[in-house]
Amino acid sequence: MTETLGLAVIGAGYWGPNLIRNFQASPEFRLRWVCDLDKSRAERVLGGYSTVTATDDYAAVLADPEVDAVAVATPAGTHLAVAMAALEAGKHVLVEKPLAATGEEGRRLVEEAERRGLVLMCDHTYCYTPAVSRIRELVRSGEIGDVQYVDSVRINLGLVQRDVDVLWDLAPHDLSILDFVLPEEDRPVAVAAQGADPIGVGRACVAYLTLQLASGAIAHVHVNWLSPTKVRTTMVGGSKRTLIWDDLNPQQRLALFDRGVDLAMPDELDAGSRRELMVNYRSGEMVAPALGEKEALRGVVEEYAAAIRERRAPLTDGRAGLRVLEILEAAGRSLAQGGALVPLGDPC
């Protein structure tokens, strides 16, 4: 497959224009269609001089033999119908997060894509930022040692959503990042969630999510629609080093600290000291790894094309999307049970 890949973007609302811009800039794709229930909105996004066809006829898009792939940027409740129709038409599919409205719907999409040998990719955009790519390298290479804890904060003022709580709105970003950077053998095995609705909108506006990892470490996620300030930070503590990612600090997005606690094990101590473990505090240097500048969606588009051409699963494939959905659904059950710890199923 050497020719450009014919593509259609489905949905020209909030996220669709960002996808359209990046696909149009990619040498790997030729954007042929933009489809939206409001055809005039698709036309406005494309502008007056575009050679791309705007339409509200999804069937016409799927019937085009020159469309190899679609990118779905519609509300989550429509993902099953829109993505399934594309898969059944033999098209590769990129879906905006979350993969589907429920885990069962997501599982149906994954199974259909695998049965047909098609690429199903989740647009977990943050995973394609230079910072998160570097965090994945640092964690999976063992450079920070064993992961001891993860602490993530994603808070801001609004927007309070009408159809989902703050966990479903904001936490998918943090959960997809966690799934991306952690080794496969250290994925979450249980989740507990607590939330509050202090303004009375009928759904949690503030929530705290605690994940038990397979290694015994914990990951904590704080999401909030009511904070007067915007915070986007993630800390990953390791046995050797600790990293801090501040997505709102362009001067130093990522910092790596050689500071922490060293524990002398009993067989390293003399007989008189073995009754107690010795705790030593390490205070080394801080370095800020150099990061390239690259739009995350450009990375999404490049990975989508590579997965199609190489006939492989993308880095954020449908099963990654399923794992995020499973945690969100388990978190909902935990909220309903007053914060009880809910076990997760076998990793996808």
Side-chain angles (χ1 to χ4, degrees), residues 267-310:
D267 58 359
E268 299 171 357
L269 305 176
D270 57 42
S273 303
R274 289 187 181 180
R275 295 178 183 175
E276 298 180 0
L277 296 179
M278 299 296 293
V279 175
N280 298 315
Y281 294 94
R282 184 179 68 258
S283 183
E285 64 180 4
M286 184 279 288
V287 296
L291 300 173
E293 289 297 327
K294 180 179 179 181
E295 185 177 0
L297 267 180
R298 178 182 166 190
V300 171
V301 168
E302 291 173 351
E303 176 65 9
Y304 191 29
I308 293 171
R309 294 192 183 282
E310 297 168 17

Side-chain angles (χ1 to χ4, degrees), residues 111-238:
E111 290 173 352
E112 185 69 17
E114 292 179 350
R115 187 176 71 83
R116 294 177 177 270
L118 295 168
V119 169
L120 176 62
M121 178 174 174
C122 247
D123 180 9
H124 289 166
T125 311
Y126 276 98
C127 297
Y128 297 91
T129 61
V132 175
S133 294
R134 187 74 176 104
I135 292 171
R136 176 183 167 98
E137 293 174 5
L138 291 167
V139 172
R140 295 198 169 204
S141 68
E143 189 167 341
I144 70 167
D146 297 329
V147 173
Q148 296 175 329
Y149 63 90
V150 180
D151 192 85
S152 189
V153 179
R154 185 173 300 274
I155 62 176
N156 46 257
L157 191 60
L159 296 170
V160 175
Q161 302 296 319
R162 296 180 179 179
D163 54 344
V164 295
D165 63 18
V166 70
L167 278 172
W168 277 83
D169 181 39
L170 298 182
H173 295 301
D174 304 276
L175 296 176
S176 64
I177 292 167
L178 195 67
D179 184 80
F180 187 70
V181 303
L182 288 176
E184 293 180 7
E185 65 273 13
D186 198 19
R187 285 182 174 145
V189 295
V191 59
Q194 292 186 321
D197 175 23
I199 59 175
V201 295
R203 64 196 65 87
C205 297
V206 182
Y208 298 87
L209 195 63
T210 301
L211 300 158
Q212 287 188 352
L213 305 184
S215 63
I218 65 169
H220 189 259
V221 177
H222 173 201
V223 287
N224 189 341
W225 282 330
L226 307 181
S227 168
T229 59
K230 184 175 182 178
V231 179
R232 298 281 187 274
T233 60
T234 298
M235 179 184 297
V236 183

